[in-house]
Amino acid sequence: MSVIPLRLLAGLVTALHLAGAGAGFPAKLTLERAVPVRGAPLEHLRARDGARHGRLLLGSSSSPATAAAGVVDFPVDGSANPAIAGLYFTRVKLGNPAKEFYVQIDTGSDILWVTCSSCTGCPTSSGLNIQLEFFDPVKSSTSTTITCSDDRCSYALQTGQALCSSSDFSSSLCGYSFQYGDGSGTSGYYVSDMMYFDTVLENEQTLNSSATIVFGCSNSQSGDLTKSDRAIDGIFGFGQNDLSVISQLSSAGNFPKVFSHCLRGSDSGGGILVLGEIVEPGIVYTPLVKSQPHYNLNLESLAVNGRELAIDSSLFATSNTQGTIVDSGTTLAYLAEKAYIPFINAILASLPSSVHSFALRDNVCFVTSDSVDESFPSVTLKFVGGASMLLNPEDYLLQQGSIDNSIIWCIGWQNNKGSGITILGDLVLKDKIFVYDLANQRIGWMNYDCSQSVNVSTASGKNEYLTAGQLDVSGSSDSVFSKLLLSSNNLLILTYILIIASL
């Protein structure tokens, strides 16, 4: 089987429109970019992150997929920079006729939900410079509602994660309600409809594919979800439970149970998101903690400038009140309370005299005119199995302004007060390849320039890779590679070259 190299240019979001199996001709791709919006103070980001941490994860039976095996490539926009967006989002096409929706990439929840028509309190405009849409099940010829008697609703009912009318159980809609810590939330009901995407097949052709999936239809939103500054059409949950899109598609055996992302950390943002396995030399893996609703990892220790902090490793052990979670739906990062002070003290002790520290609204901040990489220490997270995550200063710092020729930096890692939970959000996840290998229950990563090409396997567990400029792979009779080029009229041209080599 082969490895497909995919390339995404910095800050650009692409959508491939190829019809049929023989799509080998160049296709013109429009450029899109979110424009900057007003930044948010750290305390506002903490409140927003704290609210979304109350989201419930929903599991249910999966619906059959009707698409060919291969790698699904999703466009990515948004940025980890709170002054730009503070989130990453992609686009999905749903219904017949298909409509496109902007949805946040969220590894901390399970279901895909979008705003539906007649929604109460839902925003109608967005400061992210995107056009918000509403899904109308009545206007889609392939849409059906999920009732409480449906098997796909049964598990959620048993665990108290679905809402059904007891008076008319058989015909009532299978509903849901996600509540947030600040009182905001969303509720609605489940529908089944078509989802459309571009699939790169194992025979190295590209198809405009589709699958029938179950997703949420939100008809009510409250609290911060009603605000328009960073409004989107919904949430794309990439959790492990049966109702997530990744689980629904893989359950039919048509897609590997693995997905990957590479989120670009610069202000222009963007990145790569695929249902498939990014394969690059240097990716290290650590096992997922079993039987957890989130992507929990076994963090063993924390080091600053190579020096391990004196923190009892039992503090990071996974339980109902402790653990380390990977969550792309969180903007910042949150360190367990008992680990936070040792971490801050180690950072402060390693700073040169040219860096001046001060407190700003409960945040630890600094002023310096020197290079951030030269002035601040590196941080290393060490996980079970010998896997380490090396973090640069901008993986834990946020730029908050300037004074004359000096830059104000604040520590973006927050004290998760009263909690033993550590959450690795976009501040940490950016500028790295992350592979969620659910079939083998492990997560892998490596530092990476996410504006560069990546190599994606068409099957989980593939260990061959194709480097940039290489035309073939040993043991493979043919290979496709794609190049994204910036043309003079500001369009991206995606050229697929099919190389046929005899064995």
Side-chain angles (χ1 to χ4, degrees):
M1 283 174 275
S2 62
V3 176
I4 316 292
L6 300 175
R7 179 178 175 88
L8 184 67
L9 290 184
L12 304 178
V13 178
T14 65
L16 176 61
H17 302 287
L18 299 176
F25 299 100
K28 290 186 177 181
L29 308 173
T30 59
L31 307 186
E32 296 183 45
R33 184 196 303 265
V35 298
V37 295
R38 179 174 55 86
L42 283 174
E43 59 267 25
H44 292 172
L45 297 173
R46 283 198 300 267
R48 187 177 68 184
D49 282 341
R52 66 93 54 220
H53 293 162
R55 180 172 299 136
L56 301 174
L57 297 181
L58 177 62
S60 181
S61 301
S62 58
S63 67
T66 57
V71 171
V72 178
D73 181 24
F74 288 99
V76 177
D77 207 339
S79 169
N81 187 341
I84 303 297
L87 57 85
Y88 290 93
F89 53 93
T90 185
R91 302 194 300 270
V92 295
K93 294 180 180 179
L94 303 170
N96 186 18
K99 292 185 69 174
E100 194 168 66
F101 300 89
Y102 292 89
V103 287
Q104 183 178 4
I105 302 166
D106 185 12
T107 61
S109 65
D110 287 303
I111 71 163
L112 165 66
W113 65 263
V114 296
T115 302
C116 281
S117 56
S118 303
C119 182
T120 302
C122 297
T124 57
S125 63
S126 173
L128 296 175
N129 197 33
I130 59 176
Q131 178 65 47
L132 299 182
E133 295 288 349
F134 293 86
F135 180 77
D136 189 347
V138 176
K139 294 183 178 179
S140 174
S141 62
T142 50
S143 176
T144 58
T145 55
I146 304 299
T147 64
C148 290
S149 59
D150 194 301
D151 289 341
R152 290 168 289 185
C153 190
S154 298
Y155 177 79
L157 283 171
Q158 294 171 5
T159 57
Q161 295 171 323
L163 305 173
C164 285
S165 172
S166 57
S167 59
D168 190 10
F169 181 85
S170 61
S171 61
S172 64
L173 297 180
C174 182
Y176 64 86
S177 179
F178 297 123
Q179 298 299 318
Y180 296 77
D182 65 347
S184 65
T186 178
S187 60
Y189 56 93
Y190 293 106
V191 298
S192 173
D193 209 338
M194 302 300 297
M195 180 179 184
Y196 303 90
F197 37 78
D198 296 312
T199 305
V200 183
L201 305 178
E202 289 185 6
N203 64 3
E204 299 177 342
Q205 294 179 338
T206 302
L207 287 178
N208 188 355
S209 303
S210 64
T212 301
I213 65 165
V214 174
F215 58 94
C217 184
S218 174
N219 57 17
S220 178
Q221 294 176 18
S222 61
D224 285 346
L225 286 177
T226 64
K227 298 179 180 179
S228 62
D229 56 346
R230 287 173 174 82
I232 49 177
D233 293 319
I235 301 289
F236 196 162
F238 278 87
Q240 301 183 68
N241 285 358
D242 289 343
L243 205 57
S244 70
V245 171
I246 182 70
S247 294
Q248 292 186 62
L249 295 180
S250 64
S251 65
N254 292 328
F255 292 91
K257 199 168 186 179
V258 56
F259 69 95
S260 312
H261 60 66
C262 194
L263 307 174
R264 190 162 186 258
S266 70
D267 288 352
S268 55
I272 298 166
L273 173 64
V274 293
L275 302 189
E277 179 186 6
I278 294 179
V279 282
E280 292 287 345
I283 295 178
V284 296
Y285 283 89
T286 190
L288 282 166
V289 181
K290 295 181 179 179
S291 304
Q292 295 297 314
H294 299 88
Y295 290 119
N296 281 76
L297 303 180
N298 282 308
L299 178 64
E300 292 186 319
S301 64
L302 184 65
V304 174
N305 257 357
R307 296 185 177 182
E308 189 169 308
L309 304 186
I311 301 174
D312 190 336
S313 60
S314 64
L315 175 65
F316 300 118
T318 300
S319 68
N320 290 335
T321 58
Q322 291 186 174
T324 301
I325 298 170
V326 177
D327 180 15
S328 67
T330 292
T331 302
L332 304 176
Y334 294 79
L335 199 58
E337 183 177 28
K338 293 182 180 179
Y340 186 77
I341 296 302
F343 168 70
I344 294 296
N345 288 339
I347 296 293
L348 292 171
S350 65
L351 297 177
S353 59
S354 59
V355 178
H356 304 283
S357 62
F358 64 98
L360 177 64
R361 294 190 294 270
D362 295 328
N363 299 297
V364 179
C365 300
F366 313 92
V367 176
T368 182
S369 59
D370 297 337
S371 165
V372 65
D373 290 323
E374 296 176 358
S375 302
F376 290 86
S378 63
V379 173
T380 304
L381 304 179
K382 298 181 180 180
F383 297 86
V384 163
S388 293
M389 186 182 300
L390 179 62
L391 304 178
N392 300 315
E394 290 191 57
D395 293 330
Y396 63 84
L397 293 173
L398 283 174
Q399 185 175 334
Q400 292 290 290
S402 62
I403 301 176
D404 296 329
N405 295 323
S406 297
I407 303 298
I408 300 174
W409 296 91
C410 292
I411 292 183
W413 287 23
Q414 303 298 299
N415 186 352
N416 204 358
K417 296 180 180 180
S419 174
I421 301 293
T422 293
I423 302 173
L424 306 181
D426 292 337
L427 182 60
V428 173
L429 305 185
K430 61 180 173 57
D431 296 321
K432 298 172 187 65
I433 290 171
F434 266 83
V435 180
Y436 301 75
D437 184 358
L438 306 186
N440 295 305
Q441 285 294 286
R442 62 180 188 165
I443 286 184
W445 62 81
M446 67 177 289
N447 290 345
Y448 200 78
D449 179 356
C450 296
S451 67
Q452 300 300 311
S453 61
V454 296
N455 306 299
V456 183
S457 173
T458 57
S460 180
K462 181 65 179 178
N463 57 15
E464 292 178 335
Y465 62 91
L466 186 64
T467 58
Q470 195 173 354
L471 297 185
D472 56 13
V473 176
S474 176
S476 177
S477 61
D478 57 358
S479 61
V480 176
F481 70 77
S482 57
K483 298 179 179 179
L484 293 180
L485 304 174
L486 184 60
S487 67
S488 59
N489 61 347
N490 287 331
L491 293 175
L492 287 181
I493 307 299
L494 177 62
T495 306
Y496 269 84
I497 305 173
L498 182 60
I499 308 296
I500 306 295
S502 57
L503 293 174

